[in-house]
Amino acid sequence: MANNKKNILFVCATGIATSTVVAEKTMEFLHENGLDADYVQTNVASLPEYDKNDADLIIATTEVPYETGIPVIRALPLITGIGADKVLNDIKEAIEK
């Protein structure tokens, strides 16, 4: 079976604070659901350096003002807790594609 592991790019304003929290919650959720992915954290200003060959999905806690060709999921609900389950399920669906 081919390695179908997805690459996720976690993005926040600095690439440190909220992206770390969201990455931990997301990776734990994916693991609990039997899914695996590789990931990188970065700041939003670095996004133009990435393209669809670098990542399958961007999970962002800040506005993404660039066109990257990579699907973006807004993950602020994973910080606030309001709507977090829907965001996690959206991420799961994107990883399973």
Side-chain angles (χ1 to χ4, degrees), residues 5 7 11 14 16 33 35-40 48-50 52 60 70 72 75-76 81 83 85 92:
K5 191 185 277 192
N7 293 305
V11 178
T14 63
I16 300 166
N33 284 275
L35 298 169
D36 194 18
D38 290 324
Y39 74 95
V40 174
E49 300 170 18
Y50 295 89
K52 63 184 185 229
I70 306 168
V72 176
L76 204 52
D85 289 345
K92 181 176 180 272

Side-chain angles (χ1 to χ4, degrees), residues 40-56:
V40 174
Q41 287 174 233
T42 192
N43 60 43
V44 71
S46 297
L47 269 183
E49 300 170 18
Y50 295 89
D51 65 28
K52 63 184 185 229
N53 296 317
D54 299 313
D56 300 294

Side-chain angles (χ1 to χ4, degrees), residues 24-37 78 84-96:
E24 288 173 356
K25 288 182 179 182
T26 300
M27 298 312 289
E28 182 179 331
F29 174 81
L30 292 177
H31 182 72
E32 288 170 357
N33 284 275
L35 298 169
D36 194 18
L78 297 181
D85 289 345
K86 181 187 182 319
V87 170
L88 287 171
N89 284 319
D90 289 348
I91 293 169
K92 181 176 180 272
E93 284 179 18
I95 292 300
E96 289 175 330

